[in-house]
Amino acid sequence: MDSGQEKPAAAAAIYAMENKPIVTCAGDQALFTSLYTALAQQLPREPMEWRRTYGRAPKMIHLEANFVQFKEELLPKDGTKALLTFPFLHIYWTDCCDAEAYRGSVKEDVSRWQSSLRAHGSADWLIIVVDGGDARKKNKGNILPRSSIVDKIRGDFCNKQNDRCVVLSEPLKDSSRSQESWNSLLLKLRTLLLMSFTKNLGRFEDDMRTLREKRTQPGWSFCQYFMVQEELAFVFEMLQQFEDALVQYDELDALFTQYVLNFGAGDAAKWLGSFCSPVLNWSGLLLRRPIDMEKRDSIQRGSASLLDLRSYLFSRQCTLLIFLQRPWEVTQRALELLHNCVQELRLLEQVSVLRGALDCWVFLSCLEVLHRIESCCDRAQLAANASHTVGLWAYAADKLKALGHLCGLVSRKGPTSEDLNRTVDLLAGLGDERPETVNSLQSPYKKLKEALSSVEAFERHYLELCQAAMEMYRAVGRLRSARLLGKSLAEFYMSKGEPERAEALLAEALRSYVCEGWTFPVTHTRKQMGECQKLLRRSADSLRTSALLAGDGNLSAEERMRFCRAVLDYAGQPADGGGDPYATLDMGVLAQLTRIRFGPDGACVHSGAALRVELTLRCLMPIAVRVDELAVGVHLDAERVSKGGARGAALPVTVDFEAADTAPGRPSSLSAGPPPEMDEAHDRSPSDDSLSSAGVVCRNAHLLVRRHDSVSPPDASGPLARNGASGTTPAALKEGAPVLRASGITLEPGDNSVVLAAASNEAGAYTLRQLCVTLANVNFVLPHIYPSVQYHVYSQEPQLSVRPLSEPLLAGLPQRVKFTLLTGHYAVRKGDALQLSNSDSMPVLAHVGCTARIANNGGAVAESALSVQSSDKVTSIGLPPTPPYHTLEFHLEVLCLIPPGPERLPDERLTNGEAPRRPRSYSHPDTAMAAIDQRMSIDCPWSIYSTLLSLTFHIPFKTEHSLLSAGNRKYIQVCVHNVSDCDFTLAHVKLAEKGPRRRASLEMPCLNACARQLLCSKQSVYFLWEATCKEALPSSLECVFSASFCPRGRCEDAAFEPFHYHFLVDNVPTLYSVRADMVPPAGERHCRSGSLCGLEVVIERAARPADGEPAAADDDKTEAEGLGSGKVMYEVADSSSNWAVCGRSSGLVSMQSSGSWAHKVHIEVMPLFAGHLPFPKIKVLKYLPHNASSVQADADSQVENDSLSLLDKTLDDAAADTASVRSRGSVQSLGEQQHRGVALPRLDPFGPGQVFNHSHARQVLVLPAADEHIVEVHAT
């Protein structure tokens, strides 16, 4: 493509005309002129859908056209493909309706017109035939129908394109036919114009893309390609597609930027050398013209500089963005452009630029952009979008400041001759003022020229720019940027010799940097602040700043050394000298507290114990500093005492302070803040001390809830306050406050360890609050130590405890227990003794050679002999002398006697209403052994009250007894269960009668042959005795079972311990004997199932209570009366469902009151199964008449009483019968007619052994029925 063939004059003419697609008009010009206005107005009214190539989204556009008279010069020549001068459509106008006129002139004219179009390759044409109607009326004789003329034109010129000939009917009339004709014509024009535009634009884009792909070939020119792609941008702008036009300029911008970056990386393009020409003009951006023709011509000629190309490119982008109503994007792009241009000129090292020229260009460009934005926006929009423009204001102020330093307008002496010459050169490079800004009093050109003309004007303009930018920064919330600009303004004031105006700006910037942790800006600003304070002669502030800089790691060693010597020189001045007395600085400027460690036994000690507090300080000074004193302020809270002593405390021994909380050179008081200290809060009711509410409180909320940018400097308001009246004490204390001190300490650079002796005389919680280091008349104070560091001092009462040496403690055997005495604050003196009250059930065994062990914190200190003296009531244990907070341990042997059983008889009554203090056994949930709690009362020398201690013993045995009968012979069986985990040997087993009335005729020989019996763990052993008496056996026997036992393996006699078991055996004699016999049916030898058999029961009285027995107690009167009445009840029942009782199953029998007497009962029963069946069960019960039931019976007796209420006086002794067949031994209740609350007879069972059943285990043979084929045998 060769766009360079266009002449500048022609280009100027092109851009002076309307930016619309060109449409040529040939034929009848008068006819076209009459229709031009209507055609130009109606063509863009309706939008058309523009479908683009390469899959781009379609758009709706309004087509306009620039209708011009057809000239052959307007047709594109070979090689010329400029789109702006390209005619997209050619129209021929005619209203010919006469055949002669058509053949004579019109046909030839159309032929020449088409020949010209074909010669130049133009295929987009249209013939419009106008039917006016008036001419037809005048020449009615010669006119042909309009359709005939149109057909001739179509036949002559539109062979295969009949739609290229359109008829416009009556265009000047207001009729529906005319309107329809106009609509058809306009649609055809829009369609053809859009088709031509799409076709030619696509061809142009393909040629442009081909040219861009040749950029790596030699001879490729960016300027030529620039003109080609800008032509495409002009076309999009002509179609009002500003977004697409902007994309073309952005692509050109990106392409050029990439080539510049490649040049900086060493890949240089040859055509880029044309942009390395010296910069001779720096007049800034020109945004008041749609197109800067001068710069465009220089780009087209290839003589433009980098600034010219960037300025022209941005001006076109700015114009399009304003058309798109995006003015705020202009400011953003402008700021990026200005910064990029400066960097690109540095990359293109061959470009020669006068010093200060770039600053002038940037300053003028910033103001030009701001004025352009102000011209298209109102004040409200500018104020609402200040965040977009403030960057340009700040950049302009920065460049104006740079020009002021360059031209000598900032120095105190004013500009020199060299500065004036440089100013003249800079102003000469601006050139003449542009015509667009000549009449403007606030043009960027006039402002820069005026600012460089004098010192006063420069200061006025610079301050205006700074103040405007700072106000905008604050308005949009960009405080950091405002403070950074304020810091630059402070530097300006310092260079002008006005430190008082610079101090506030530097202080604000420094506070912001410190709070946000910007270390390098902090260091730089702090150095400026120090210079400002020196000029203002503020020694105290200068001292603080010098101390901070001396410990700042961002400075060099020489600078830190200089600032450190300044601090030492100030501290060495006398109090009445030039320095302020007793200056207070933050600890962070001198050292950082990194660790606190308690030793040697942790952070919880008893009162009076030695406690060391080791502080680790990281000195920030570059040299060793010898301080006069180091003091730590401590707060004592006497109420918060550790109740559990050292073992109950959970305080950390070492507390580390993270260095990240305090940045280098940053005071700890201005750090990010201490962590919150949370504590529990409980609200209790004053009436009953119940908990009503609970919560969490923050103990240091006053330090957390505050503004970090308004932190006041450290003071001495804490416990470590300066006392000016004292000349000897460098750091006086708050009255009564404990303080830890160390004097004469040298702090080396880096970590230092300082050991302090902590106060521990008074019990309580000690909190380390403040740290103060004194250097002559300077105090370095850490006002708050966080996280909170505490140590506890406790005062503990003596505690006495007793524990078994082995678990469990067994009753009946000597057991060793350990007594532990924690002396607490009490010192055991010589002669102190423990007085143990002796108990009959648990005596203390005397032991010779007992020793006591004295220990401290688990380590043995000494052993001493223990004196134990026992008497009947008291055992005295003499204690060896023991220091406070030591542990005294000794062992004793105790013996818990196994309780033999109940010691008092049922009729025993307490005399004073209080039960005797005897140990009671109970079941323990963790073991099968019964447990006994033994309490000891001990009188201690340190208390007027007795100490009660308890030991739990377990009984290793469980003893049971039972009475066995064989007719009238009686046997007593004792079972001993070993429920412990040990094995024992039993010996000397005896059973004897107990009580004051022992019977000489009663003998109980033992039937066990072995003298000693081994009783293993979880096993049982049984012993059996036969009770014989020459007289009748008593009704009850009070016996005592005695034995000796010892652990297995220790069978010497001394090792055996006694064991007794007391029990009472009731109802010893046999009163009745029951015999039963089964009688088969008549004619049968054996019983058969299903046949009735006879059961003969004989109840025989065996004996009465022995003569001479004591009278029955109240509880036994009922039984005696029942026995005396001679009535017993029998009942036959079968619980195993083998028999069916037929007829009566129970009844009353009367026995003779004296002598032996037998009663025989015959009962019919039926066997239900065949086999050897056991006899039915026969019960014999005591029958107690109603007059003997005054004593309340138990629940079971009452039920039996109710069921037999009808038997009283209503049933005859022999005829009492239940009178029904009872199957399977069930008894029908007769208690439906009972009356509650009436004295009724009751039934009581006999005791074991009182009734002996001789047929209890007998069986009878039952044969099956004779007609059964299958024999079912039931064996039990």
Side-chain angles (χ1 to χ4, degrees):
M1 301 176 66
D2 188 10
S3 62
Q5 295 179 1
E6 299 183 19
K7 298 181 180 179
I14 291 173
Y15 294 117
M17 56 192 297
E18 286 184 277
N19 292 329
K20 298 177 183 179
I22 297 176
V23 178
T24 64
C25 298
D28 193 347
Q29 295 296 323
L31 176 63
F32 167 72
T33 303
S34 64
L35 300 176
Y36 171 74
T37 303
L39 183 62
Q41 291 178 355
Q42 296 185 39
L43 182 62
R45 287 184 179 177
E46 296 294 332
M48 291 290 292
E49 184 181 18
W50 182 24
R51 295 184 177 273
R52 302 180 62 186
T53 58
Y54 298 105
R56 286 173 284 191
K59 295 183 179 181
M60 303 298 293
I61 61 174
H62 294 265
L63 287 175
E64 295 183 84
N66 185 16
F67 296 95
V68 297
Q69 186 177 358
F70 174 77
K71 295 180 181 179
E72 194 171 353
E73 293 81 6
L74 295 178
L75 296 177
K77 300 178 179 60
D78 293 339
T80 302
K81 298 181 180 180
L83 290 178
L84 291 179
T85 59
F86 183 84
F88 290 96
L89 185 62
H90 306 276
I91 304 176
Y92 188 89
W93 296 84
T94 182
D95 59 351
C96 178
C97 57
D98 189 355
E100 295 297 333
Y102 172 73
R103 287 191 297 267
S105 60
V106 174
K107 182 177 180 180
E108 185 178 356
D109 191 21
V110 174
S111 237
R112 287 196 302 269
W113 175 69
Q114 281 199 343
S115 298
S116 299
L117 295 179
R118 283 194 297 269
H120 292 83
S122 297
D124 299 314
W125 53 269
L126 179 66
I127 300 175
I128 300 177
V129 180
V130 180
D131 182 10
D134 296 336
R136 185 181 301 177
K137 292 179 182 180
K138 294 178 181 179
N139 301 318
K140 290 184 178 180
N142 296 326
I143 64 174
L144 296 174
R146 182 64 59 187
S147 60
S148 299
I149 297 297
V150 173
D151 291 341
K152 286 182 177 292
I153 294 176
R154 288 175 178 173
D156 294 337
F157 303 104
C158 307
N159 295 327
K160 297 181 180 181
Q161 297 176 330
N162 293 331
D163 58 338
R164 293 301 179 98
C165 183
V166 180
V167 178
L168 179 61
S169 302
E170 300 177 356
L172 300 179
K173 292 184 178 181
D174 187 10
S175 62
S176 59
R177 185 169 180 267
S178 174
Q179 186 64 36
E180 184 179 355
S181 179
W182 269 112
N183 292 338
S184 177
L185 175 63
L186 292 174
L187 180 60
K188 177 60 70 174
L189 283 178
R190 294 190 190 107
T191 304
L192 293 176
L193 187 60
L194 191 58
M195 290 173 57
S196 175
F197 184 80
T198 303
K199 178 180 63 177
N200 290 281
L201 184 62
R203 187 183 302 118
F204 184 88
E205 287 181 335
D206 292 340
D207 296 340
M208 183 190 71
R209 194 175 297 107
T210 303
L211 180 62
R212 185 172 58 199
E213 291 175 354
K214 296 180 181 180
R215 62 184 180 274
T216 57
Q217 298 180 2
W220 188 83
S221 175
F222 176 79
C223 295
Q224 294 179 2
Y225 177 75
F226 181 90
M227 304 306 294
V228 171
Q229 191 160 0
E230 190 186 28
E231 186 84 13
L232 182 61
F234 284 153
V235 172
F236 284 124
E237 184 179 0
M238 178 179 61
L239 295 175
Q240 296 183 358
Q241 299 300 312
F242 302 114
E243 189 68 41
D244 293 332
L246 181 62
V247 169
Q248 308 307 315
Y249 286 109
D250 290 344
E251 289 180 356
L252 289 171
D253 189 356
L255 182 61
F256 185 78
T257 301
Q258 187 62 45
Y259 272 104
V260 174
L261 294 177
N262 293 342
F263 182 87
D267 184 11
K270 292 183 179 180
W271 58 264
L272 200 57
S274 62
F275 294 95
C276 296
S277 59
V279 178
L280 303 177
N281 183 277
W282 42 86
S283 57
L285 297 175
L286 179 59
L287 306 179
R288 302 172 191 263
R289 300 176 187 172
I291 301 176
D292 190 350
M293 293 305 303
E294 296 179 1
K295 290 185 174 58
R296 188 177 189 278
D297 292 342
S298 63
I299 295 172
Q300 188 174 5
R301 294 191 304 268
S303 61
S305 64
L306 185 140
L307 291 183
D308 293 338
L309 176 65
R310 287 298 188 185
S311 299
Y312 176 77
L313 193 58
F314 181 78
S315 66
R316 295 297 302 142
Q317 292 172 331
C318 176
T319 301
L320 295 173
L321 287 172
I322 291 177
F323 284 155
L324 291 171
Q325 297 181 357
R326 288 149 59 182
W328 311 118
E329 190 175 342
V330 175
T331 60
Q332 178 184 356
R333 289 180 175 232
L335 200 57
E336 296 176 358
L337 169 73
L338 299 178
H339 286 286
N340 292 338
C341 284
V342 174
Q343 298 300 325
E344 289 174 353
L345 287 174
R346 292 177 182 175
L347 290 176
L348 301 177
E349 300 174 354
Q350 302 175 7
V351 179
S352 175
V353 184
L354 181 66
R355 185 183 177 189
L358 278 180
D359 296 333
C360 293
W361 183 79
V362 171
F363 177 79
L364 293 174
S365 300
C366 289
L367 296 186
E368 178 69 13
V369 173
L370 291 173
H371 288 179
R372 185 70 180 92
I373 298 301
E374 290 175 358
S375 64
C376 62
C377 300
D378 55 17
R379 291 187 177 182
Q381 291 177 329
L382 292 174
N385 295 274
S387 59
H388 298 90
T389 59
V390 64
L392 293 174
W393 287 101
Y395 201 20
D398 183 64
K399 291 305 176 182
L400 185 60
K401 179 183 176 183
L403 290 173
H405 283 284
L406 184 64
C407 299
L409 300 174
V410 181
S411 64
R412 301 179 184 179
K413 298 179 181 180
T416 61
S417 58
E418 183 180 357
D419 297 333
L420 293 176
N421 292 333
R422 189 179 293 111
T423 303
V424 172
D425 295 338
L426 292 175
L427 294 177
L430 300 179
D432 297 332
E433 189 173 4
R434 295 159 182 166
E436 292 84 0
T437 62
V438 170
N439 298 326
S440 176
L441 298 179
Q442 297 293 329
S443 66
Y445 181 88
K446 292 186 178 66
K447 281 189 176 182
L448 180 59
K449 195 170 183 179
E450 182 182 359
L452 298 181
S453 62
S454 65
V455 176
E456 293 77 10
F458 172 81
E459 183 175 354
R460 184 179 70 256
H461 284 287
Y462 178 69
L463 292 181
E464 287 178 358
L465 290 175
C466 288
Q467 293 297 334
M470 291 175 65
E471 289 178 1
M472 290 182 185
Y473 275 135
R474 293 191 180 98
V476 299
R478 295 177 58 180
L479 299 180
R480 297 187 186 93
S481 300
R483 290 162 183 166
L484 181 61
L485 189 58
K487 183 173 175 290
S488 177
L489 184 59
E491 294 174 355
F492 172 76
Y493 287 138
M494 290 292 293
S495 61
K496 298 287 290 184
E498 300 177 2
E500 64 279 356
R501 301 178 67 180
E503 184 184 17
L505 297 173
L506 290 175
E508 184 180 6
L510 180 61
R511 185 183 301 111
S512 175
Y513 296 151
V514 167
C515 291
E516 297 177 6
W518 302 94
T519 58
F520 286 100
V522 164
T523 303
H524 184 262
T525 309
R526 189 167 282 149
K527 289 176 64 177
Q528 294 176 327
M529 179 67 78
E531 296 296 331
C532 182
Q533 292 167 349
K534 285 184 180 179
L535 294 176
L536 294 175
R537 296 187 178 184
R538 296 180 180 176
S539 58
D541 297 336
S542 178
L543 170 65
R544 182 178 294 106
T545 304
S546 299
L548 288 169
L549 293 173
D552 197 335
N554 295 326
L555 296 177
S556 62
E558 293 77 10
E559 290 180 306
R560 294 179 62 193
M561 193 78 69
R562 176 167 57 86
F563 288 115
C564 182
R565 288 197 178 96
V567 175
L568 297 179
D569 293 342
Y570 180 91
Q573 295 177 2
D576 55 352
D580 296 334
Y582 312 124
T584 301
L585 301 180
D586 192 274
M587 175 63 70
V589 305
L590 176 66
Q592 293 178 355
L593 179 63
T594 61
R595 175 178 293 180
I596 295 179
R597 181 180 180 85
F598 295 96
D601 299 327
C604 189
V605 297
H606 59 79
S607 58
L611 178 63
R612 297 193 307 271
V613 181
E614 181 181 358
L615 306 180
T616 301
L617 297 175
R618 181 171 300 163
C619 181
L620 303 178
M621 296 292 106
I623 60 176
V625 178
R626 183 173 179 81
V627 298
D628 299 335
E629 184 184 62
L630 185 147
V632 178
V634 181
H635 173 73
L636 172 61
D637 187 357
E639 296 180 358
R640 297 183 60 190
V641 182
S642 177
K643 298 181 180 180
R647 296 173 178 82
L651 298 178
V653 178
T654 303
V655 179
D656 292 323
F657 300 86
E658 296 184 4
D661 293 342
T662 304
R666 179 182 184 187
S668 60
S669 61
L670 298 179
S671 62
E677 292 187 3
M678 311 307 294
D679 201 356
E680 298 180 2
H682 301 282
D683 186 12
R684 297 187 176 275
S685 174
S687 59
D688 55 355
D689 198 34
S690 61
L691 183 64
S692 58
S693 64
V696 178
V697 296
C698 182
R699 291 190 293 164
N700 59 339
H702 62 289
L703 299 176
L704 298 174
V705 186
R706 61 174 180 174
R707 291 179 54 190
H708 293 286
D709 58 349
S710 60
V711 180
S712 59
D715 52 16
S717 60
L720 302 176
R722 169 63 62 183
N723 187 358
S726 175
T728 58
T729 304
L733 304 177
K734 186 177 179 180
E735 184 178 358
V739 176
L740 314 182
R741 300 177 184 272
S743 303
I745 301 172
T746 300
L747 298 180
E748 300 287 342
D751 291 340
N752 299 265
S753 180
V754 181
V755 179
L756 306 175
S760 61
N761 295 328
E762 187 176 355
Y766 291 79
T767 305
L768 307 185
R769 289 290 180 87
Q770 288 184 338
L771 175 63
C772 178
V773 175
T774 303
L775 177 62
N777 59 343
V778 180
N779 283 342
F780 298 91
V781 178
L782 179 62
H784 304 284
I785 297 178
Y786 285 102
S788 180
V789 181
Q790 290 184 347
Y791 68 91
H792 289 182
V793 177
Y794 62 91
S795 178
Q796 187 179 15
E797 294 293 329
Q799 297 180 3
L800 179 63
S801 62
V802 57
R803 293 182 179 179
L805 288 180
S806 61
E807 291 286 352
L809 291 176
L810 296 179
L813 295 176
Q815 301 290 303
R816 292 181 65 83
V817 294
K818 180 175 72 173
F819 287 79
T820 303
L821 172 61
L822 301 178
T823 58
H825 64 81
Y826 181 78
V828 180
R829 297 178 297 271
K830 184 178 181 180
D832 289 346
L834 300 178
Q835 306 294 332
L836 276 70
S837 298
N838 292 338
S839 173
D840 295 338
S841 59
M842 191 189 70
V844 177
L845 304 180
H847 185 72
V848 180
C850 293
T851 59
R853 180 175 174 269
I854 302 174
N856 181 18
N857 293 334
V861 176
E863 290 189 0
S864 178
L866 194 68
S867 174
V868 180
Q869 297 179 0
S870 297
S871 63
D872 295 339
K873 297 182 178 180
V874 176
T875 298
S876 178
I877 304 174
L879 302 178
T882 307
Y885 297 100
H886 280 61
T887 302
L888 178 65
E889 297 179 352
F890 57 91
H891 299 166
L892 290 180
E893 279 193 352
V894 295
L895 177 61
C896 176
L897 302 180
I898 300 177
E903 292 294 334
R904 61 186 180 91
L905 297 176
D907 57 352
E908 184 178 350
R909 295 292 184 265
L910 299 176
T911 57
N912 57 355
E914 183 180 356
R917 300 184 62 86
R918 294 192 183 97
R920 299 182 60 186
S921 61
Y922 59 92
S923 298
H924 200 276
D926 298 332
T927 180
M929 296 184 290
I932 303 175
D933 288 336
Q934 294 285 355
R935 293 187 178 182
M936 296 182 295
S937 177
I938 305 176
D939 294 334
C940 305
W942 56 82
S943 175
I944 61 175
Y945 303 101
S946 298
T947 301
L948 295 179
L949 301 178
S950 178
L951 287 174
T952 300
F953 291 85
H954 295 81
I955 301 176
F957 303 125
K958 181 179 180 182
T959 309
E960 298 176 350
H961 70 278
S962 60
L963 177 64
L964 305 179
S965 300
N968 292 328
R969 301 181 66 178
K970 299 296 179 178
Y971 301 89
I972 299 176
Q973 179 180 272
V974 176
C975 177
V976 180
H977 302 274
N978 183 4
V979 293
S980 68
D981 296 330
C982 302
D983 297 341
F984 297 99
T985 300
L986 297 181
H988 310 112
V989 179
K990 295 180 181 180
L991 181 65
E993 185 181 8
K994 181 186 176 184
R997 298 178 59 186
R998 294 184 181 180
R999 298 171 179 84
S1001 59
L1002 180 62
E1003 295 180 359
M1004 289 185 290
C1006 182
L1007 302 182
N1008 295 69
C1010 185
R1012 291 189 178 184
Q1013 184 71 39
L1014 177 63
L1015 181 56
C1016 297
S1017 173
K1018 303 299 186 292
Q1019 300 296 324
S1020 302
V1021 63
Y1022 294 85
F1023 299 97
L1024 187 64
W1025 289 267
E1026 181 180 3
T1028 61
C1029 186
K1030 297 178 180 179
E1031 304 173 356
L1033 288 174
S1035 61
S1036 63
L1037 288 175
E1038 189 174 358
C1039 302
V1040 55
F1041 170 78
S1042 60
S1044 299
F1045 70 98
C1046 69
R1048 183 178 182 181
R1050 298 175 57 188
C1051 296
E1052 58 272 12
D1053 294 339
F1056 283 92
E1057 296 294 338
F1059 167 60
H1060 300 280
Y1061 172 66
H1062 297 262
F1063 61 91
L1064 179 64
V1065 181
D1066 292 326
N1067 304 318
V1068 176
T1070 301
L1071 300 181
Y1072 298 98
S1073 63
V1074 178
R1075 300 178 186 272
D1077 195 7
M1078 191 66 63
V1079 180
E1084 297 286 344
R1085 295 181 57 187
H1086 300 284
C1087 298
R1088 289 185 180 272
S1089 61
S1091 301
L1092 290 177
C1093 301
L1095 177 63
E1096 294 184 355
V1097 179
V1098 178
I1099 302 175
E1100 183 179 3
R1101 187 183 186 111
R1104 286 184 55 84
D1107 298 336
E1109 289 294 320
D1114 295 339
D1115 296 340
D1116 297 335
K1117 288 182 179 180
T1118 303
E1119 181 182 354
E1121 293 175 359
L1123 294 176
S1125 62
K1127 291 183 179 181
V1128 296
M1129 179 180 177
Y1130 66 91
E1131 181 181 5
V1132 178
D1134 184 23
S1135 60
S1136 58
S1137 302
N1138 295 324
W1139 301 88
V1141 181
C1142 303
R1144 62 183 182 183
S1145 61
S1146 62
L1148 289 178
V1149 295
S1150 298
M1151 311 300 291
Q1152 294 295 332
S1153 59
S1154 62
S1156 60
W1157 189 86
H1159 185 80
K1160 187 176 182 180
V1161 179
H1162 181 81
I1163 301 174
E1164 291 184 348
V1165 295
M1166 178 187 295
L1168 302 179
F1169 304 99
H1172 291 276
L1173 303 182
F1175 274 49
K1177 188 176 181 180
I1178 303 171
K1179 295 181 181 179
V1180 178
L1181 302 174
K1182 301 176 188 177
Y1183 176 78
L1184 303 178
H1186 60 84
N1187 55 2
S1189 60
S1190 60
V1191 180
Q1192 180 65 33
D1194 55 7
D1196 296 337
S1197 300
Q1198 186 64 44
V1199 172
E1200 296 172 352
N1201 186 5
D1202 294 342
S1203 64
L1204 296 175
S1205 60
L1206 295 179
L1207 299 178
D1208 183 36
K1209 296 185 179 181
T1210 60
L1211 297 177
D1212 186 69
D1213 294 345
D1217 187 12
T1218 54
S1220 65
V1221 177
R1222 309 244 166 82
S1223 174
R1224 302 186 181 218
S1226 61
V1227 179
Q1228 181 179 356
S1229 175
L1230 300 178
E1232 290 83 355
Q1233 302 177 8
Q1234 63 181 351
H1235 302 279
R1236 298 289 181 178
V1238 182
L1240 300 176
R1242 62 188 178 93
L1243 298 175
D1244 282 346
F1246 284 99
Q1250 286 187 311
V1251 177
F1252 183 76
N1253 190 351
H1254 292 270
S1255 59
H1256 178 70
R1258 289 186 60 187
Q1259 291 183 341
V1260 61
L1261 176 61
V1262 178
L1263 299 179
D1267 59 347
E1268 292 184 359
H1269 301 284
I1270 299 176
V1271 179
E1272 181 179 356
V1273 179
H1274 181 74
T1276 58

